[in-house]
Every structure is written in structure tokens, then in C-alpha cells.
Amino acid sequence: AAKSTGKGDYAWFEFAMEEKADRQRILREELSTALEKNQLYLNYQPIVCTRTRKIICFEALLRWEHPTRGLISPDEFIPVAESSGLIEPIGRWVLQQACAEATKWPNTIRVAVNLSPRQFTGFGLAADVMRALEQSRLSPHRLELEITESIFLTDTQENVRILNQLKHLGIHIALDDFGTGYSSLAYLRCFSFNKLKIDRSFISDMSSTPENLAIVRAVIGLGKSFGAVVTAEGVETEDEMACVTQEGCDQAQGYLLGRPMTAHAVGDMLVSLPTNRSFGGA
Ligand code: C2E
Ligand code: MG
Ligand code: MG
Ligand code: MG
């Protein structure tokens, strides 16, 4: 019953915890063979110029199609990959796959790859990135790497060194989910980002929530003064699109502009559009 207290609740709580730990253990075991069983694949979501709606970039988003459990969200399995060390081989695969796919697109379009902080703790991130570029023959200028502020929590100096190394190759470095998590403006002094991505929690209801609008304005101002491109994440309505454009966001990403889609669908879309034609709303 809803009102029960004491032992019963505790047992239930323990059970729930056990279930979560169990699920994590199972996911970890199954994830370790997911790559070789071809259960992982990438989706690509367009990022467009706010003024012209031309596609500037596609963000690679990892998917796990489990044979019996169905599609598992990266928000659930990335943490499992991180805690088990599997993020290293998976992250390497994502880089190779995304770079190879991008060589099929017009050379005005970049590919953005998400990096987990755990990929910075090994030794080989810069080498992995360079290998992916060499093997695919993708120009470094067409690769963008998305990181979150959490990489500044430990080994700040070493991580900044790696970021600078990558940036000097011509790769763009974007700060993802800006404004959430461990946000501290101090991190912006550590490294000069090419791009700030405003987290979608600030974009929703922007025009009716003065606090969100104020934060979006402040981030755009901050980004501009650092010489960074500013992208709005999670744009779902024409209203939000008009608002972020009006406020001076350079780029936008969200269901309004395009959902994450398969590599195949990207190919179809790109050939169906005359080169550089603008890509309209939903
Ligand atoms: P993220 O990098 O911030 O990616 C954007 C997320 O927002 C994606 O979720 C995308 O599908 C979703 N999204 C885009 N537009 C909209 C919108 O208009 N409305 C709503 N509600 N959502 C939108 P997804 O694909 O589930 O990925 C979740 C997170 O998982 C990513 O957040 C990223 O942190 C992580 N992730 C995905 N792929 C990789 C990867 O290859 N490596 C690593 N390390 N992390 C990844
Ligand atoms: Mg991202
Ligand atoms: Mg994001
Ligand atoms: Mg995110």
C-alpha cells in the first residue's frame, strides 16, 4: 500500500537498487559484444545556419539496436560504456565511422562527433583522431569534436593540451550542453572554443520564459565576445527558430530542422537537394 513504511519500503528500495545494478551489469556484458555483432550504428542530425537554413554540419549520434531489448538510448548505455572502459573502443569506432561517412557528403558540410571525458584519460585520443582522419582521408577542417565541461574537472592542463593539439590540426572544438552540468564560466578561460552549443533546456519556451531568454542572450553575447560560433540545441518550433535567429544565434539544431537519421537517409537527402540548397522546416 502507498502508506506503508519501514522494513517493507526498505526492502523494495533495495530491490530497485539491485535491479538497476543488475541491468547495468547485463548491459555491460552485452555492450562488450555489441560492436562485433554490428548492433551499434550512427544517426546523423543536421545543424543549419539560422539565416539561410543551409546545412553546415551533421552531428553523429550513437544508437544501440539490441536484438531483444530494442533500441537503447545513449543516455543509458554511454555511462555503462564509460564505467567499463568500453567507451575507448566504441569511441574509436564512432570516430572512424563518422569520418568515413562524411567523405561522401559535399565538402562544405562538417561532421560533429561527441567525445566522452573518459576518452581523454587514456593516452591515445589525439592519435585515434588522426588515424580516423588519415584512414578516411577526411580533411581535419571537416571534423568537429563536441565535449562537455566535465573534461575540465580533472587533469585540466593535460586535457587543454590535447584540445589545443587537435585544434591546431584544424579540427573545430565545440562545448556541448552549455549552461548545464558543471558549468562554470571559468572554463571558458582555459580554452578558446570554436563553438558554444546552448543546451536545449534553455531554448524551450524561450519566448514565454524571460529567464530562459535572458540566459540565451547572455550566452550569445559571451560566445560572440570570445569569437565563438553559437548554436541553439533542441529547436522544435518555428517560434523558437525565429527567436534564436532574432537573438543572433549563428546555427540551430533540433527536430524542427531535422531528426537524427540514418546514414542512408542523409545520402538520399543530400542528393535530392541541389548542392547548397537551403533545407527548410519540418
Ligand atoms: P547531445 O550531444 O547533447 O546530443 C543531442 C541530443 O538531443 C540527442 O539525443 C538528440 O537526438 C537530441 N535532440 C536533438 N534535437 C532535439 C529536439 O528538438 N528535441 C529533443 N527533445 N531532443 C533533441 P540522443 O541521440 O539521445 O543522445 C543523447 C546524448 O548521448 C548526447 O547528447 C550525447 O551526450 C550522448 N551521445 C550520443 N552519441 C554519442 C557518442 O557517439 N559518443 C559519446 N561519448 N556520447 C554520445
Ligand atoms: Mg553533442
Ligand atoms: Mg548537446
Ligand atoms: Mg546532451
Side-chain angles (χ1 to χ4, degrees):
K3 277 230 128 184
S4 82
T5 50
K7 259 193 153 177
D9 278 354
Y10 181 70
W12 181 85
F13 174 75
E14 210 172 36
F15 176 69
M17 291 301 287
E18 227 165 60
E19 229 180 18
K20 186 169 182 239
D22 258 17
R23 187 170 162 87
Q24 295 237 326
R25 183 182 49 75
I26 293 165
L27 285 183
R28 184 159 59 242
E29 280 167 18
E30 296 178 341
L31 189 58
S32 69
T33 58
L35 249 186
E36 53 200 73
K37 290 183 178 164
N38 291 316
Q39 291 167 4
L40 300 184
Y41 63 96
L42 292 175
N43 266 350
Y44 298 89
Q45 186 182 28
I47 300 175
V48 308
C49 168
T50 47
R51 280 179 308 103
T52 63
R53 295 207 185 183
K54 279 181 188 164
I55 299 171
I56 292 171
C57 184
F58 282 97
E59 178 174 3
L61 295 162
L62 191 56
R63 298 287 178 263
W64 181 10
E65 180 72 59
H66 190 285
T68 56
R69 294 167 205 280
L71 197 59
I72 303 175
S73 160
D75 285 327
E76 183 166 20
F77 73 82
I78 294 285
V80 173
E82 286 175 336
S83 66
S84 61
L86 285 167
I87 194 68
E88 291 199 23
I90 291 174
R92 216 173 284 132
W93 178 84
V94 170
L95 275 165
Q96 287 169 356
Q97 188 70 18
C99 288
E101 201 57 45
T103 60
K104 302 175 191 165
W105 309 337
N107 64 13
T108 50
I109 300 179
R110 286 197 185 88
V111 65
V113 173
N114 291 283
L115 292 182
S116 141
R118 272 295 303 265
Q119 290 175 270
F120 283 79
T121 58
F123 293 92
L125 178 65
D128 286 347
V129 172
M130 287 190 263
R131 196 169 319 112
L133 290 171
E134 272 160 28
Q135 285 176 352
S136 62
R137 297 167 165 264
L138 185 77
S139 159
H141 302 275
R142 293 186 55 204
L143 178 61
E144 191 158 286
L145 297 173
E146 298 193 359
I147 59 141
T148 57
E149 289 130 329
S150 52
I151 73 146
F152 295 121
L153 286 179
T154 55
D155 304 314
T156 312
Q157 284 193 339
E158 173 61 6
N159 292 344
V160 166
R161 194 189 62 76
I162 298 170
L163 286 178
N164 275 314
Q165 195 184 350
L166 294 167
K167 195 180 170 191
H168 284 132
L169 296 173
I171 297 166
H172 280 207
I173 311 290
L175 184 54
D176 205 354
D177 303 342
F178 187 70
T180 62
Y182 306 97
S183 288
S184 157
L185 297 179
Y187 296 136
L188 293 177
R189 291 183 311 198
C190 299
F191 179 76
S192 167
F193 288 93
N194 300 99
K195 180 186 276 192
L196 300 183
K197 297 186 77 176
I198 308 177
D199 191 74
R200 73 177 144 89
S201 57
F202 302 113
I203 304 299
S204 45
D205 306 322
M206 222 177 100
S207 52
S208 58
T209 313
E211 293 80 4
N212 281 354
L213 181 59
I215 290 169
V216 171
R217 278 187 182 152
V219 175
I220 294 170
L222 202 56
K224 298 252 147 112
S225 58
F226 279 100
V229 165
V230 179
T231 299
E233 295 192 84
V235 173
E236 294 183 352
T237 66
E238 285 293 353
D239 203 41
E240 288 163 357
M241 186 63 178
C243 202
V244 298
T245 307
Q246 153 89 31
E247 294 302 328
C249 263
D250 307 287
Q251 300 175 4
Q253 174 180 14
Y255 295 164
L256 174 73
L257 293 324
R259 298 232 168 203
M261 59 188 113
T262 62
H264 190 83
V266 170
D268 284 352
M269 197 187 78
L270 290 174
V271 294
S272 77
L273 296 173
T275 317
N276 281 338
R277 206 192 81 182
S278 72
F279 175 52

